[in-house]
Amino acid sequence: MAITVTINNETREIDAPGDMPLLWALRQELGMVGTKFGCGIGMCGACTVHLDGQAVRSCSLPLSAIGDKKVSTIENLAQSEVGQALQQAWLDEDVMQCGYCQAGQLMSATALLNKNATPSDDEIDAAMQGNICRCACYKRIKTAIAQVARNEETANV
């Protein structure tokens, strides 16, 4: 059964059952491997994508639940100013170690900053909760997000 989904502003036909998780459709059916498999139960955040701008776990989201909503993946992150700013902040703060969780971390951070350009430390913590980093780069991740938020705040003064 073919399912039509809008992914990264492109309409795609996926020949898969409706109960297939979006993660597997992205990776196996479409060859989009930037979104990672971590735990398979939506608890680690490695598989985070955007669904109409909201951060969601693609490993536990069946294709049939997407409907007319738009999916954005890590492959599309650089198409937004916030995504570009976060990628640069990640480099500036030397966030990455192994890098496995970074796609999910960046997608969660982007969803936060698109919703709230100048979040407090508590709001950053709340938005990033559930994104697990095995290398324990949490402080650098938070610093990078705060850097982008500070730059946004300064730009609006």
Side-chain angles (χ1 to χ4, degrees):
M1 166 191 224
I3 297 173
T4 303
V5 182
T6 302
I7 301 173
N8 297 337
N9 300 313
E10 186 178 319
T11 302
R12 306 289 298 262
E13 293 285 326
I14 303 171
D15 188 20
D19 63 349
M20 175 183 271
L22 174 60
L23 174 64
W24 298 124
L26 291 170
R27 294 181 63 80
Q28 294 176 338
E29 303 301 318
L30 301 176
M32 299 173 71
V33 296
T35 304
K36 303 298 184 202
F37 173 79
C39 66
I41 58 173
M43 299 299 292
C44 74
C47 68
T48 302
V49 299
H50 294 170
L51 189 63
D52 277 351
Q54 298 291 333
V56 298
R57 305 301 194 240
S58 64
C59 72
S60 57
L61 179 68
L63 286 172
S64 61
I66 296 171
D68 293 336
K69 296 178 178 149
K70 292 177 175 40
V71 176
S72 293
T73 69
I74 191 69
E75 287 88 353
N76 199 49
L77 188 68
Q79 300 306 309
S80 76
E81 288 183 28
V82 170
Q84 290 173 13
L86 279 167
Q87 287 175 319
Q88 186 58 56
W90 246 240
L91 295 171
D92 293 347
E93 296 300 326
D94 197 25
V95 169
M96 296 164 284
Q97 284 196 14
C98 83
Y100 197 82
C101 71
Q102 296 310 304
Q105 300 278 1
L106 282 161
M107 294 304 287
S108 291
T110 302
L112 166 65
L113 293 176
N114 281 335
K115 182 178 176 185
N116 178 0
T118 56
S120 67
D121 284 347
D122 288 342
E123 290 168 323
I124 293 171
D125 289 341
M128 299 305 291
Q129 188 173 12
N131 284 86
I132 296 172
C133 176
R134 297 176 197 170
C135 302
C137 297
Y138 300 110
K139 185 175 182 341
R140 289 184 292 200
I141 290 167
K142 185 174 181 178
T143 300
I145 296 167
Q147 173 188 318
V148 175
R150 275 193 313 275
N151 290 345
E152 182 63 28
E153 192 172 343
T154 304
N156 289 327
V157 173

